Short mmCIF file of all heavy atoms in Angstrom, two decimals:
data_model
loop_
_atom_site.label_atom_id
_atom_site.label_comp_id
_atom_site.label_asym_id
_atom_site.label_seq_id
_atom_site.Cartn_x
_atom_site.Cartn_y
_atom_site.Cartn_z
N ILE A 413 -6.40 -14.78 -2.36
CA ILE A 413 -7.74 -14.38 -2.77
C ILE A 413 -8.74 -15.41 -2.25
O ILE A 413 -9.84 -15.08 -1.73
CB ILE A 413 -7.81 -14.24 -4.28
CG1 ILE A 413 -7.00 -13.03 -4.75
CG2 ILE A 413 -9.26 -14.08 -4.76
CD1 ILE A 413 -6.84 -12.85 -6.24
N LYS A 414 -8.35 -16.69 -2.35
CA LYS A 414 -9.25 -17.78 -1.90
C LYS A 414 -9.56 -17.63 -0.40
O LYS A 414 -10.64 -17.71 0.07
CB LYS A 414 -8.64 -19.13 -2.20
CG LYS A 414 -9.61 -20.23 -2.39
CD LYS A 414 -8.97 -21.47 -3.07
CE LYS A 414 -9.58 -22.63 -2.47
NZ LYS A 414 -8.73 -23.83 -2.48
N GLU A 415 -8.42 -17.40 0.29
CA GLU A 415 -8.55 -17.21 1.73
C GLU A 415 -9.38 -15.95 2.11
O GLU A 415 -10.17 -15.95 3.07
CB GLU A 415 -7.11 -17.08 2.41
CG GLU A 415 -6.52 -18.37 2.83
CD GLU A 415 -7.34 -19.10 3.89
OE1 GLU A 415 -7.42 -18.76 5.03
OE2 GLU A 415 -8.00 -20.09 3.42
N ARG A 416 -9.12 -14.88 1.36
CA ARG A 416 -9.89 -13.66 1.61
C ARG A 416 -11.39 -13.87 1.55
O ARG A 416 -12.16 -13.47 2.39
CB ARG A 416 -9.47 -12.63 0.50
CG ARG A 416 -10.18 -11.27 0.64
CD ARG A 416 -9.82 -10.41 -0.53
NE ARG A 416 -10.48 -10.78 -1.79
CZ ARG A 416 -9.99 -10.47 -2.96
NH1 ARG A 416 -8.92 -9.80 -3.13
NH2 ARG A 416 -10.65 -10.90 -4.04
N GLU A 417 -11.79 -14.60 0.54
CA GLU A 417 -13.22 -14.87 0.38
C GLU A 417 -13.76 -15.73 1.51
O GLU A 417 -14.86 -15.51 1.99
CB GLU A 417 -13.51 -15.42 -1.00
CG GLU A 417 -13.19 -14.48 -2.20
CD GLU A 417 -13.73 -13.06 -1.97
OE1 GLU A 417 -14.96 -12.93 -1.74
OE2 GLU A 417 -12.95 -12.07 -2.07
N ARG A 418 -12.95 -16.71 1.86
CA ARG A 418 -13.34 -17.59 2.99
C ARG A 418 -13.45 -16.83 4.28
O ARG A 418 -14.45 -16.94 5.02
CB ARG A 418 -12.33 -18.80 3.09
CG ARG A 418 -12.74 -19.83 4.11
CD ARG A 418 -11.64 -20.85 4.26
NE ARG A 418 -10.42 -20.43 4.98
CZ ARG A 418 -10.27 -20.49 6.28
NH1 ARG A 418 -11.24 -20.99 7.05
NH2 ARG A 418 -9.21 -20.06 6.84
N VAL A 419 -12.46 -15.97 4.53
CA VAL A 419 -12.45 -15.22 5.78
C VAL A 419 -13.58 -14.26 5.84
O VAL A 419 -14.27 -14.09 6.84
CB VAL A 419 -11.12 -14.51 6.02
CG1 VAL A 419 -11.14 -13.54 7.16
CG2 VAL A 419 -9.95 -15.48 6.16
N ARG A 420 -13.86 -13.63 4.72
CA ARG A 420 -14.97 -12.67 4.74
C ARG A 420 -16.34 -13.34 5.01
O ARG A 420 -17.17 -12.86 5.78
CB ARG A 420 -15.07 -11.90 3.44
CG ARG A 420 -16.12 -10.79 3.52
CD ARG A 420 -15.99 -9.79 2.37
NE ARG A 420 -16.92 -10.09 1.31
CZ ARG A 420 -18.20 -9.60 1.22
NH1 ARG A 420 -18.66 -8.83 2.17
NH2 ARG A 420 -18.92 -9.89 0.23
N GLU A 421 -16.52 -14.46 4.40
CA GLU A 421 -17.73 -15.27 4.61
C GLU A 421 -17.89 -15.62 6.07
O GLU A 421 -18.96 -15.35 6.70
CB GLU A 421 -17.72 -16.50 3.80
CG GLU A 421 -18.94 -16.67 2.93
CD GLU A 421 -18.73 -17.72 1.94
OE1 GLU A 421 -18.81 -18.95 2.29
OE2 GLU A 421 -18.44 -17.42 0.78
N LEU A 422 -16.83 -16.02 6.71
CA LEU A 422 -16.83 -16.45 8.10
C LEU A 422 -16.99 -15.26 9.01
O LEU A 422 -17.73 -15.25 9.98
CB LEU A 422 -15.61 -17.27 8.50
CG LEU A 422 -15.60 -18.69 7.87
CD1 LEU A 422 -14.26 -19.36 8.05
CD2 LEU A 422 -16.69 -19.56 8.44
N LEU A 423 -16.33 -14.17 8.71
CA LEU A 423 -16.45 -12.86 9.49
C LEU A 423 -17.93 -12.47 9.46
O LEU A 423 -18.43 -12.00 10.52
CB LEU A 423 -15.59 -11.82 8.81
CG LEU A 423 -14.23 -11.48 9.45
CD1 LEU A 423 -13.62 -10.37 8.64
CD2 LEU A 423 -14.34 -11.10 10.89
N SER A 424 -18.56 -12.60 8.38
CA SER A 424 -19.94 -12.13 8.26
C SER A 424 -20.93 -12.92 9.08
O SER A 424 -22.02 -12.50 9.36
CB SER A 424 -20.38 -12.21 6.80
OG SER A 424 -19.49 -11.40 5.99
N THR A 425 -20.48 -14.11 9.52
CA THR A 425 -21.42 -14.95 10.33
C THR A 425 -21.31 -14.58 11.83
O THR A 425 -22.04 -15.04 12.63
CB THR A 425 -21.13 -16.48 10.15
OG1 THR A 425 -19.78 -16.74 10.64
CG2 THR A 425 -21.21 -16.96 8.72
N ILE A 426 -20.23 -13.80 12.12
CA ILE A 426 -20.03 -13.41 13.53
C ILE A 426 -20.93 -12.28 13.95
O ILE A 426 -20.96 -11.25 13.23
CB ILE A 426 -18.54 -13.03 13.78
CG1 ILE A 426 -17.64 -14.25 13.42
CG2 ILE A 426 -18.29 -12.63 15.24
CD1 ILE A 426 -16.13 -13.96 13.56
N PRO A 427 -21.72 -12.42 15.00
CA PRO A 427 -22.60 -11.39 15.42
C PRO A 427 -21.89 -10.06 15.71
O PRO A 427 -20.73 -10.12 16.21
CB PRO A 427 -23.28 -11.91 16.67
CG PRO A 427 -23.08 -13.38 16.64
CD PRO A 427 -21.79 -13.61 15.91
N LYS A 428 -22.48 -8.92 15.46
CA LYS A 428 -21.92 -7.61 15.68
C LYS A 428 -20.78 -7.20 14.70
O LYS A 428 -20.16 -6.14 14.85
CB LYS A 428 -21.42 -7.46 17.15
CG LYS A 428 -22.47 -7.58 18.17
CD LYS A 428 -21.86 -7.17 19.52
CE LYS A 428 -22.29 -8.17 20.53
NZ LYS A 428 -21.51 -8.06 21.83
N ILE A 429 -20.48 -8.06 13.78
CA ILE A 429 -19.43 -7.76 12.79
C ILE A 429 -19.99 -7.53 11.39
O ILE A 429 -20.81 -8.39 10.90
CB ILE A 429 -18.40 -8.92 12.70
CG1 ILE A 429 -17.63 -9.12 14.03
CG2 ILE A 429 -17.38 -8.66 11.54
CD1 ILE A 429 -16.65 -8.03 14.39
N LYS A 430 -19.59 -6.43 10.78
CA LYS A 430 -19.94 -6.23 9.37
C LYS A 430 -18.60 -6.19 8.55
O LYS A 430 -17.79 -5.31 8.80
CB LYS A 430 -20.71 -4.91 9.17
CG LYS A 430 -21.08 -4.64 7.76
CD LYS A 430 -21.98 -3.48 7.61
CE LYS A 430 -22.24 -3.23 6.13
NZ LYS A 430 -22.88 -1.99 5.85
N ALA A 431 -18.49 -7.20 7.69
CA ALA A 431 -17.23 -7.24 6.85
C ALA A 431 -17.52 -6.69 5.46
O ALA A 431 -18.58 -7.01 4.88
CB ALA A 431 -16.77 -8.67 6.75
N TYR A 432 -16.59 -5.89 4.96
CA TYR A 432 -16.79 -5.25 3.63
C TYR A 432 -16.07 -6.09 2.57
O TYR A 432 -15.05 -6.73 2.84
CB TYR A 432 -16.21 -3.81 3.67
CG TYR A 432 -17.10 -2.92 4.47
CD1 TYR A 432 -17.06 -2.89 5.85
CD2 TYR A 432 -18.09 -2.21 3.82
CE1 TYR A 432 -17.88 -2.07 6.61
CE2 TYR A 432 -18.95 -1.38 4.56
CZ TYR A 432 -18.86 -1.31 5.96
OH TYR A 432 -19.68 -0.53 6.70
N PRO A 433 -16.57 -6.06 1.34
CA PRO A 433 -15.92 -6.78 0.20
C PRO A 433 -14.55 -6.19 -0.02
O PRO A 433 -14.39 -4.98 0.24
CB PRO A 433 -16.82 -6.55 -0.97
CG PRO A 433 -17.94 -5.68 -0.58
CD PRO A 433 -17.80 -5.35 0.88
N SER A 434 -13.61 -6.96 -0.46
CA SER A 434 -12.29 -6.48 -0.70
C SER A 434 -11.67 -7.04 -1.95
O SER A 434 -11.91 -8.18 -2.34
CB SER A 434 -11.36 -6.83 0.46
OG SER A 434 -9.98 -6.64 0.10
N GLU A 435 -10.93 -6.20 -2.69
CA GLU A 435 -10.21 -6.67 -3.89
C GLU A 435 -8.73 -6.62 -3.61
O GLU A 435 -7.89 -6.61 -4.53
CB GLU A 435 -10.60 -5.84 -5.11
CG GLU A 435 -12.09 -6.03 -5.48
CD GLU A 435 -12.39 -5.30 -6.77
OE1 GLU A 435 -11.95 -5.80 -7.82
OE2 GLU A 435 -13.12 -4.33 -6.78
N ALA A 436 -8.35 -6.59 -2.31
CA ALA A 436 -6.92 -6.54 -1.95
C ALA A 436 -6.61 -7.75 -1.08
O ALA A 436 -7.32 -8.73 -1.04
CB ALA A 436 -6.66 -5.20 -1.27
N ASN A 437 -5.46 -7.66 -0.29
CA ASN A 437 -5.08 -8.78 0.58
C ASN A 437 -5.45 -8.49 2.02
O ASN A 437 -4.78 -8.97 2.91
CB ASN A 437 -3.59 -9.07 0.43
CG ASN A 437 -2.74 -7.93 0.89
OD1 ASN A 437 -3.20 -6.77 1.06
ND2 ASN A 437 -1.48 -8.16 1.19
N PHE A 438 -6.47 -7.68 2.22
CA PHE A 438 -6.90 -7.40 3.56
C PHE A 438 -8.40 -7.19 3.53
O PHE A 438 -9.02 -6.99 2.47
CB PHE A 438 -6.24 -6.05 4.12
CG PHE A 438 -6.37 -4.93 3.14
CD1 PHE A 438 -7.41 -4.11 3.14
CD2 PHE A 438 -5.32 -4.61 2.22
CE1 PHE A 438 -7.59 -3.04 2.24
CE2 PHE A 438 -5.43 -3.55 1.35
CZ PHE A 438 -6.55 -2.74 1.33
N ILE A 439 -8.99 -7.16 4.72
CA ILE A 439 -10.48 -6.90 4.82
C ILE A 439 -10.73 -5.88 5.83
O ILE A 439 -10.16 -5.87 6.96
CB ILE A 439 -11.20 -8.24 5.22
CG1 ILE A 439 -11.07 -9.28 4.08
CG2 ILE A 439 -12.67 -7.99 5.53
CD1 ILE A 439 -11.70 -10.67 4.47
N LEU A 440 -11.60 -4.93 5.51
CA LEU A 440 -12.03 -3.91 6.45
C LEU A 440 -13.34 -4.39 7.09
O LEU A 440 -14.17 -4.91 6.40
CB LEU A 440 -12.37 -2.62 5.67
CG LEU A 440 -12.77 -1.43 6.49
CD1 LEU A 440 -11.63 -0.82 7.27
CD2 LEU A 440 -13.50 -0.38 5.65
N PHE A 441 -13.41 -4.34 8.40
CA PHE A 441 -14.67 -4.72 9.07
C PHE A 441 -14.97 -3.73 10.18
O PHE A 441 -14.18 -3.02 10.69
CB PHE A 441 -14.64 -6.19 9.51
CG PHE A 441 -13.66 -6.53 10.61
CD1 PHE A 441 -14.09 -6.51 11.98
CD2 PHE A 441 -12.35 -6.86 10.33
CE1 PHE A 441 -13.22 -6.82 13.00
CE2 PHE A 441 -11.48 -7.16 11.37
CZ PHE A 441 -11.87 -7.18 12.67
#
Side-chain angles (χ1 to χ4, degrees):
I413 291 173
K414 207 166 145 208
E415 271 301 285
R416 177 185 76 203
E417 296 311 309
R418 184 182 76 88
V419 171
R420 187 166 97 89
E421 233 166 77
L422 289 170
L423 260 179
S424 303
T425 64
I426 301 177
K428 295 189 224 166
I429 297 287
K430 180 174 176 188
Y432 288 82
S434 167
E435 295 189 69
N437 64 342
F438 52 83
I439 293 176
L440 182 75
F441 67 94

